[in-house]
Amino acid sequence: MPRPLELNRCQKCRSARVKCDGRRPRCGRCERGGRDCHWIKAASSTSPPHTPSQPSYRGTDYTSTQNPGIALQDPLAAKIFRHYMDKLAGWYDLNDSRRHFIDVVPVRARYNPLLLSAILAFAAAHQHRTLGEDEYLEIAEFYHYDSVRRLISLTRNVDELPIGESLAAICLLRSYEIITQNVSSQSHLQGCYSILANRHVHLTTDLLSAGFWNYLREDITASLIEHRSLMIDLSSQQISLDAGEEGQGDDADHANRVTFLLGKVINRCLAVDSPALTFEEWEVMKAELNNWKNSLPPSFEPIRTPGLRKGVAFPQIWTIRDWHVSSLHYYHTAMSILWLAEPQPEPLNSFQRASKMNSLRSRLDYHATEVCALAISSDSAAVWVNAFGPIAFCGPWLQDSAKRKEIKGDSEKWAKMTGWPVSTTPDALAGSPLGTDQ
């Protein structure tokens, strides 16, 4: 069962990640420190919105999102909201040619307090990471707490839950958790899973579907970094997948199809208690990936331009669209996992074992090289953020130390530019798990 969202610590103790005695209205730590003690309260779905004559805030009393129209009259809230639209929304439309997070989410946020709070929390946290101004962290924490209490209130009446907007908000809150260095926290992913677990998700072209694909990509990123299965079950009994089938949808739908295939490979191969693949299972999963690759339109074919950049160890390959990069990243990652999970039909002698290891080393190096080369040739923050999972998993299989050094340096550069914490990626790239450098 997913862990419930905790309300047994005041905001100051939660922010400092210290134990709170739970005393109200003022806990012991705040009383000794002479601080105001603020507690998260579940939002009432029936209480009328508070509509002050003009937006204002004092210290940590920032403008409530209970009435989004009033909240966006606050210049500070409006600037943070615009920062999301201008700099961050495109991250979530990586594989969405219909641009739900750019064009739909901001409109819905004008009428949905939870969605607006989630946008403000994530966008303020991003500004804190990139600008280094403490005020933005305080703002981010305020709206994060506001989002949590609203989410608690909404999930008490799941049948009346506006699931598309709520799932979009949960994706943004997960990004907040990551960007504030709480990388291993899974509370909002778990909350999202609890909402989806008993629902039949019919994937089409609406906001719910856009939120689902974002949720799945976030889950994939965490799983690849932590080498574990997903938190969501992708069995056919739960999800109907129309997007991305051959002959249906648009160019971007192929990206969602391979996202789904990678998720299935992760769940089957990276689960701690998962039994070894049978040869028949392995052949089916590999055939699915090969069929996906063979069905791609010519637009997905990478363009190879030697000499495009000087002084790089990787081949110069690039694509027209961001979703072409993310799709190929997921394909190469899925293939890497499958090669590692390939069953052995019979015992091998020493020579055969050495030959098999050399073949595996070569294949993994090829897939890792393609993943890293495509990321390095991109100028898209959305691509870089989505690439951290594939790079963390595939990058260590690079056999050339110059390549590992280059992708490590570029990952750190992208982290500074996007505000995304990638501490696990450079650590993973420190050495090769399959032997010495070439």
Side-chain angles (χ1 to χ4, degrees):
M1 292 295 292
R3 185 184 63 190
L5 296 169
E6 297 178 353
L7 298 179
N8 61 348
R9 286 190 292 177
C10 72
Q11 292 187 15
K12 291 293 184 182
C13 290
R14 284 173 59 88
S15 176
R17 295 183 175 85
V18 297
K19 186 176 180 180
C20 181
D21 61 18
R23 193 171 67 191
R24 306 192 188 202
R26 200 177 190 189
C27 76
R29 284 183 176 273
C30 289
E31 185 173 20
R32 290 192 297 272
R35 298 186 298 268
D36 291 334
C37 192
H38 299 286
W39 290 87
I40 304 172
K41 297 180 180 179
S44 172
S45 58
T46 59
S47 59
H50 175 61
T51 54
S53 57
Q54 61 181 19
S56 62
Y57 57 87
R58 301 182 308 277
T60 58
D61 297 327
Y62 299 103
T63 303
S64 170
T65 62
Q66 182 63 35
N67 187 318
I70 295 295
L72 290 175
Q73 293 176 29
D74 179 344
L76 180 58
K79 289 178 181 178
I80 296 172
F81 186 75
R82 287 165 63 92
H83 178 72
Y84 162 79
M85 292 191 296
D86 295 339
K87 302 294 184 181
L88 305 175
W91 295 8
Y92 300 88
D93 288 334
L94 173 66
N95 293 348
D96 186 2
S97 62
R98 299 169 185 89
R99 307 190 346 155
H100 282 90
F101 276 76
I102 292 175
D103 294 335
V104 177
V105 165
V107 174
R108 301 283 179 88
R110 295 186 64 184
Y111 310 98
N112 186 297
L114 169 62
L115 191 52
L116 179 58
S117 283
I119 288 174
L120 296 178
F122 171 49
H126 180 263
Q127 289 188 299
H128 168 68
R129 285 280 298 175
T130 54
L131 300 177
E133 297 181 10
D134 290 339
E135 182 190 15
Y136 282 113
L137 179 58
E138 195 172 81
I139 296 167
E141 289 175 341
F142 175 87
Y143 286 111
H144 177 252
Y145 298 140
D146 185 66
S147 300
V148 169
R149 71 183 181 89
R150 294 186 187 282
L151 191 59
I152 293 170
S153 178
L154 286 171
T155 53
R156 290 173 178 169
N157 301 289
V158 176
D159 292 338
E160 300 177 5
L161 186 70
I163 192 168
E165 291 85 344
S166 300
L167 185 51
I170 289 169
C171 291
L172 296 165
L173 293 173
R174 173 55 178 153
S175 297
Y176 167 90
E177 291 179 339
I178 295 174
I179 212 165
T180 54
Q181 299 288 329
N182 197 3
V183 179
S184 61
S185 173
Q186 301 294 319
S187 59
H188 295 299
L189 280 179
Q190 289 175 332
C192 180
Y193 177 78
S194 70
I195 293 171
L196 290 175
N198 296 317
R199 289 173 177 251
H200 186 82
V201 181
H202 186 73
L203 299 176
T204 55
T205 59
D206 57 5
L207 180 58
L208 171 60
S209 299
F212 171 81
W213 290 120
N214 271 283
Y215 161 72
L216 180 55
R217 291 202 304 273
E218 288 177 328
D219 203 359
I220 284 173
T221 296
S223 296
L224 292 175
I225 290 173
E226 299 174 7
H227 290 196
R228 60 164 176 78
S229 60
L230 303 177
M231 300 188 67
I232 188 170
D233 182 3
L234 295 177
S235 67
S236 58
Q237 287 78 14
Q238 285 191 302
I239 297 170
S240 296
L241 184 65
D242 293 335
E245 295 290 351
E246 186 174 359
Q248 297 182 9
D250 64 15
D251 192 65
D253 289 335
H254 292 278
N256 290 331
R257 177 63 178 166
V258 76
T259 301
F260 185 78
L261 293 177
L262 173 58
K264 290 205 304 181
V265 170
I266 289 173
N267 277 351
R268 181 61 184 88
C269 300
L270 297 188
V272 174
D273 56 351
S274 180
L277 285 176
T278 65
F279 186 74
E280 290 74 16
E281 282 184 292
W282 187 85
E283 283 285 349
V284 168
M285 299 180 84
K286 186 171 179 292
E288 285 183 322
L289 284 165
N290 287 338
N291 291 339
W292 173 87
K293 186 73 160 54
N294 293 334
S295 71
L296 292 179
S299 57
F300 276 77
E301 184 65 27
I303 301 170
R304 300 181 183 269
T305 310
L308 185 64
R309 294 178 60 194
K310 303 298 182 183
V312 296
F314 289 96
Q316 307 291 288
I317 55 176
W318 53 285
T319 63
I320 300 298
R321 299 288 188 184
D322 287 352
W323 60 70
H324 297 157
V325 180
S326 64
S327 299
L328 295 172
H329 275 173
Y330 281 2
Y331 165 76
H332 288 294
T333 303
M335 289 300 300
S336 296
I337 296 172
L338 281 184
W339 287 126
L340 287 166
E342 183 182 13
Q344 302 303 318
E346 58 187 19
L348 304 176
N349 60 34
S350 298
F351 178 79
Q352 291 171 326
R353 189 177 300 111
S355 177
K356 191 74 173 178
M357 181 60 70
N358 287 333
S359 176
L360 177 61
R361 181 184 291 112
S362 177
R363 286 168 173 162
L364 294 177
D365 180 72
Y366 162 73
H367 291 298
T369 296
E370 293 289 297
V371 165
C372 296
L374 285 164
I376 287 173
S377 297
S378 175
D379 292 321
S380 168
V383 166
W384 297 334
V385 168
N386 199 68
F388 288 140
I391 290 172
F393 187 89
C394 296
W397 308 108
L398 291 168
Q399 296 301 296
D400 185 347
S401 61
K403 289 180 179 178
R404 289 202 304 274
K405 181 179 180 181
E406 183 176 338
I407 192 60
K408 177 178 180 292
D410 278 4
S411 295
E412 292 170 343
K413 177 186 70 177
W414 301 333
K416 291 179 181 178
M417 295 173 67
T418 64
W420 213 251
V422 293
S423 58
T424 54
T425 302
D427 291 343
L429 296 171
S432 171
L434 281 183
T436 59
D437 299 336
Q438 293 177 340

